[in-house]
Amino acid sequence: MTTMIAVDGVGKTFVLHNQSGIRLNVLAGASLSVEAGEAVVLSGPSGAGKSTLLRILYGNYRPTSGQVLVRHEGHLVDLVGAAPRAVLEIRRRTLGWVSQFLRVIPRISALDLVRDPLLARGIGESEATRRARDMLARMNLPESLWTLPPQTFSGGEQQRVNIARSLVDPAPVLLLDEPTASLDAANRDVVVELVEAARARGSAIVGIFHDEAVRSRVATRMVDVTSFSPRIGSAP
Amino acid sequence: MSAPLDSAAKVATGADGDAPLLTATGVTRFYGERIGCEDVSFDLWPGEVLGIVGESGSGKSTLLRCLAGLDRPTSGRIGFRDGSRVTPDIFALDEQRRRALMRTAWGIVHQNPRDGLRMGVSAGGNIGERLIDRGDRHYGNIRVAAVDWLQRVEIDPARIDDRPTQFSGGMQQRLQIARVLVSEPKLVYMDEPTGGLDVSVQARLLDLLRALVRDLGLAAIIVTHDLAVARLLTDRLMVMRRGRVVEEGLTDQVLDDPQHPYTQLLTASVLAA
């Protein structure tokens, strides 16, 4: 077994300086270990800190305490306090973020968006194009759209481009933030299959899914984040 | 935790094994009693895009002018490395050598294209001038480079003999960018590069800048008060207030999880960044 993520004693308190310095204690003592080939689904009620924990795993939120080790090129590296360029390099090679939202970049075609991560990892032009085309077809995006920038696409079409981009070459650690939200049943099934395939190939997966059926299909293990809640046991 | 733990710094230096391009140490600029910027230190690595954000008067343009060699700091050092040529402090050089470095090692894109262009010289002449400064003498090659760069910044090469005064604001700004990039600098300084342009023209320019920075592997320092511009173009952010850096980090960290009261105020004041 290879540990891909090791979260140890992570706490997160948001201080809202412009709202009388309110302190929101969201996580305390969060610890979580995820092996290669595992899919951990975070559960817990809204506001329990699922999304906060996922963002900490991506280096997007900075935890108040604890360490977040991620296996990058064979070594466990702490994301907490890592230099910006180190975090970017870890994201480029190791961490994949899949959400329902596409950050549209003007004037770049859907096909190029999907090809981009392959090219960035050094895969050749023709191979990258072939895999990107396969992926867009699999996501049921009409071929007539492939060469167009997704700015004018519907929300659902943009979402599928984004998923194709994120899963065309699954990263060793995949972080899924409700990627299936608002997809129709057929496309939801495709996403579940792609995630399953990534896991079978050894990706370590941590995700949030509201849909009960999707959750139980994807998860090899559930982790209830309310156990990381500072409101239980210790006072803030 | 029994697994081996490597420092993150090692990760970052593994592949390219290089050193910072620019090193600012305690850069301070006073205007009489008034603080321009105070005690700013950071490293910029090749290919990195750093954003400096903050409201008007926060010191970001002063800092940029110091870094770019335009304004001598009251104290502090600005080191620059070009391959194996290390300059520990660009202001320790004599004027002539500093000017030479400024012509070749970095470029400056001014907010107002009039500050960066020669308005009485043709578009082609504006681009060619930087090459002549660098020592190129072959007219044919310079003309070819000028045509190539006009195309890259999406200006019709048929307008090569027109003067910038005949161009729109967006075209002038694109011409200024061509003039700066033609000499292949390692580092580009940009002061509010999209300021004063219509929103639709801004989007096109941002897109162009993004592509150029990525394709050329340029390092850049971009001063902006527009957090959406920072989000789109930069890897890292420094937030300045009253001349000091109050927060820094990865761009998405700073914008999504701001820690300093002032950064929280800035990010809360915009509709969506």
Side-chain angles (χ1 to χ4, degrees):
Chain A
M1 296 279 258
T2 308
T3 302
M4 298 300 290
I5 299 173
V7 174
D8 192 27
V10 160
K12 178 64 180 170
T13 299
F14 293 93
V15 182
L16 309 181
H17 292 285
N18 301 300
Q19 286 162 55
S20 340
I22 295 172
R23 297 171 68 87
L24 297 174
N25 297 301
V26 178
L27 296 172
S31 296
L32 172 70
S33 180
V34 186
E35 310 288 318
E38 253 197 315
V40 170
V41 170
L42 303 177
S43 65
S46 178
K50 303 185 292 290
S51 182
T52 297
L53 181 56
L54 202 67
R55 285 171 177 272
I56 286 173
L57 290 177
Y58 193 58
N60 175 232
Y61 282 4
R62 292 171 276 195
T64 317
S65 58
Q67 61 178 11
V68 178
L69 305 183
V70 172
R71 185 170 300 281
H72 173 68
E73 319 261 84
H75 303 281
L76 285 173
V77 180
D78 196 350
L79 283 182
V80 181
R85 63 197 212 98
V87 177
L88 288 178
E89 180 58 23
I90 292 166
R91 286 182 184 172
R92 189 149 39 235
R93 306 249 160 224
T94 301
L95 290 174
W97 180 266
V98 191
S99 79
Q100 56 180 307
F101 302 109
L102 176 67
R103 183 166 287 277
V104 176
I105 303 165
R107 299 199 301 176
I108 298 192
S109 74
L111 187 66
D112 281 342
L113 276 171
V114 179
R115 258 165 31 120
D116 191 49
L118 294 165
L119 297 173
R121 293 195 181 113
I123 291 164
E125 183 111 12
S126 62
E127 163 82 2
T129 305
R130 187 186 60 73
R131 284 174 60 179
R133 294 177 65 92
D134 285 354
M135 197 66 187
L136 287 169
R138 192 138 180 222
M139 292 306 302
N140 302 306
L141 194 78
E143 191 166 351
S144 56
L145 296 182
W146 295 0
T147 54
L148 301 177
Q151 264 159 315
T152 56
F153 293 7
S154 73
E157 285 162 350
Q158 289 192 3
Q159 186 179 356
R160 282 180 276 152
V161 170
N162 191 39
I163 290 168
R165 174 178 161 91
S166 310
L167 292 176
V168 67
D169 184 39
V173 175
L174 277 178
L175 306 172
L176 311 177
D177 183 16
E178 304 221 37
T180 57
S182 74
L183 285 182
D184 62 29
N187 282 308
R188 197 164 57 225
D189 285 347
V190 173
V191 173
V192 171
E193 284 164 25
L194 289 169
V195 170
E196 184 55 27
R199 192 184 65 75
R201 292 223 310 266
S203 290
I205 292 160
V206 181
I208 302 170
F209 298 93
H210 268 149
D211 186 321
E212 193 68 56
V214 171
R215 202 187 290 182
S216 54
R217 281 171 69 190
V218 169
T220 60
R221 186 156 57 101
M222 299 276 213
V223 169
D224 186 348
V225 300
T226 49
S227 61
F228 306 142
S229 168
R231 275 153 261 153
I232 297 169
S234 62
Chain B
M1 209 68 54
S2 59
L5 173 62
D6 288 9
S7 74
K10 193 170 160 192
V11 175
T13 50
D16 34 13
D18 49 13
L21 187 65
L22 183 81
T23 301
T25 312
V27 175
T28 300
R29 177 74 169 98
F30 280 93
Y31 296 102
E33 291 289 292
R34 197 167 57 80
I35 295 170
C37 62
E38 189 168 17
D39 198 21
V40 178
S41 300
F42 67 93
D43 287 334
L44 184 77
W45 298 76
E48 247 185 349
V49 181
L50 169 70
I52 305 176
V53 297
E55 62 200 2
S56 308
S58 59
K60 44 193 204 309
S61 293
T62 300
L63 175 62
L64 193 80
R65 289 182 58 82
C66 289
L67 297 171
L70 296 172
D71 206 357
R72 179 182 288 274
T74 312
S75 62
R77 281 194 321 277
I78 295 153
F80 188 81
R81 186 185 59 92
D82 187 359
S84 57
R85 251 180 51 208
V86 179
T87 307
D89 184 4
I90 59 171
F91 283 99
L93 298 175
D94 61 50
E95 178 81 16
Q96 196 182 355
R97 289 187 51 209
R98 185 165 67 254
R99 294 274 161 207
L101 198 60
M102 288 169 69
R103 274 198 301 273
T104 54
W106 63 80
I108 304 165
V109 175
H110 298 269
Q111 173 173 6
N112 187 343
R114 289 172 173 274
D115 295 335
L117 292 172
R118 300 234 310 202
M119 300 307 281
V121 173
S122 71
N126 264 287
I127 298 175
E129 198 174 50
R130 281 275 290 199
L131 293 175
I132 293 165
D133 275 353
R134 197 179 67 173
D136 291 12
R137 289 292 176 267
H138 189 287
Y139 176 77
N141 290 349
I142 291 170
R143 181 99 180 164
V144 168
V147 167
D148 175 47
W149 269 98
L150 286 173
Q151 285 170 329
R152 289 172 83 161
V153 298
E154 302 169 11
I155 295 174
D156 183 353
R159 308 213 40 189
I160 190 166
D161 296 318
D162 290 354
R163 290 179 184 188
T165 44
Q166 296 165 272
F167 289 178
S168 68
M171 280 172 75
Q172 287 180 1
Q173 195 55 300
R174 296 203 300 278
L175 179 63
Q176 191 192 181
I177 288 164
R179 174 178 160 99
V180 167
L181 295 185
V182 67
S183 59
E184 300 170 335
K186 300 276 192 317
L187 169 61
V188 179
Y189 294 102
M190 301 187 201
D191 190 2
E192 303 278 7
T194 62
L197 297 175
D198 289 344
V199 174
S200 62
V201 179
Q202 273 192 27
R204 185 176 176 191
L205 187 69
L206 284 174
D207 185 37
L208 177 74
L209 285 174
R210 213 186 115 272
L212 288 171
V213 166
R214 188 193 51 198
D215 295 347
L216 303 173
L218 282 177
I221 298 183
I222 302 173
V223 161
T224 180
H225 68 276
D226 186 333
L227 299 185
V229 168
R231 169 90 78 175
L232 191 68
L233 290 180
T234 67
D235 302 318
R236 277 166 67 190
L237 274 189
M238 291 198 314
V239 181
M240 290 189 71
R241 186 185 194 211
R242 295 179 186 158
R244 285 185 164 268
V245 175
V246 295
E247 182 163 358
E248 58 188 309
L250 267 180
T251 298
D252 63 279
Q253 280 174 348
V254 173
L255 295 181
D256 295 340
D257 185 16
Q259 315 272 320
H260 190 277
Y262 179 66
T263 318
Q264 291 187 355
L265 191 65
L266 270 188
T267 54
S269 309
V270 290
L271 292 174

